[in-house]
Amino acid sequence: MHNHHGQAALITGASSGIGRAYAEHLARRGYDPVLVARRPDRLARLAETIHRDTGRRATVLRADLADASDLARVETAVLEHKGLAVVVNAAAAWADWRRCARRTPGRSTTSSLST
Ligand SMILES: NC(=O)c1ccc[n+]([C@@H]2O[C@H](COP(=O)([O-])OP(=O)(O)OC[C@H]3O[C@@H](n4cnc5c(N)ncnc54)[C@H](OP(=O)(O)O)[C@@H]3O)[C@@H](O)[C@H]2O)c1
């Protein structure tokens, strides 16, 4: 039994590899994953799989982290999602993501990991 229900985890690079593995792992731990990558079809299939296997509600945030406006949308999601407790950056395309943490000094409950 895990006690992360009601908390969310944002994972970049969630459509394959390390990011996908983290998304599935964190959902099994009770987090609702926010899945970020460029390929929405893969993210949508993963969201369905996660819901079927864990009951957690995954949401898809399609974004190219090399695109400034997409990156701004992801940063806004990180800054404004009140339930966000974990950020995993597995896309390796969001080099300046730690800026988000610096801009949210009150968010001491947010953990982060970058591959
Ligand atoms: N620190 C370490 O020891 C270590 C070890 C192994 C790997 N790594 C690094 O960790 C990263 C992930 O490895 P992996 O094996 O999981 O690779 P992978 O299977 O190729 O996955 C990369 C993920 O990043 C997403 N992505 C790539 N460019 C993106 C962009 N511009 N915007 C948004 N999403 C993007 C891809 O999805 P879409 O194509 O759908 O966007 C995919 O989901 C790699 O960069 C790798 O070099 C680090």
Side-chain angles (χ1 to χ4, degrees), residues 11-21 36-43 61-67 70 74 89-94 114-115:
I11 304 103
T12 74
S15 63
S16 70
I18 296 169
R20 180 183 172 118
V36 180
R38 294 168 297 186
R39 290 172 288 178
D41 51 337
R42 292 179 68 100
L43 296 178
L61 179 52
R62 194 219 68 81
D64 180 348
L65 297 176
D67 177 273
D70 281 10
V74 175
N89 182 32
W94 187 11
S114 193
T115 56

Side-chain angles (χ1 to χ4, degrees), residues 75-99:
E75 288 187 344
T76 298
V78 171
L79 293 169
E80 295 186 354
H81 194 318
K82 297 286 183 277
L84 196 65
V86 176
V87 176
V88 176
N89 182 32
W94 187 11
D96 201 22
W97 71 277
R98 285 179 196 279
R99 190 170 53 135

Side-chain angles (χ1 to χ4, degrees), residues 3-68:
N3 62 353
H4 301 296
H5 292 258
Q7 295 186 318
L10 183 143
I11 304 103
T12 74
S15 63
S16 70
I18 296 169
R20 180 183 172 118
Y22 264 102
E24 294 178 320
H25 173 75
L26 289 165
R28 285 194 297 273
R29 303 282 297 184
Y31 293 95
D32 290 325
V34 180
L35 309 172
V36 180
R38 294 168 297 186
R39 290 172 288 178
D41 51 337
R42 292 179 68 100
L43 296 178
R45 281 200 298 278
L46 176 58
E48 287 172 12
T49 300
I50 284 172
H51 190 254
R52 183 193 65 216
D53 293 349
T54 70
R56 304 317 308 161
R57 189 167 298 279
T59 54
V60 170
L61 179 52
R62 194 219 68 81
D64 180 348
L65 297 176
D67 177 273

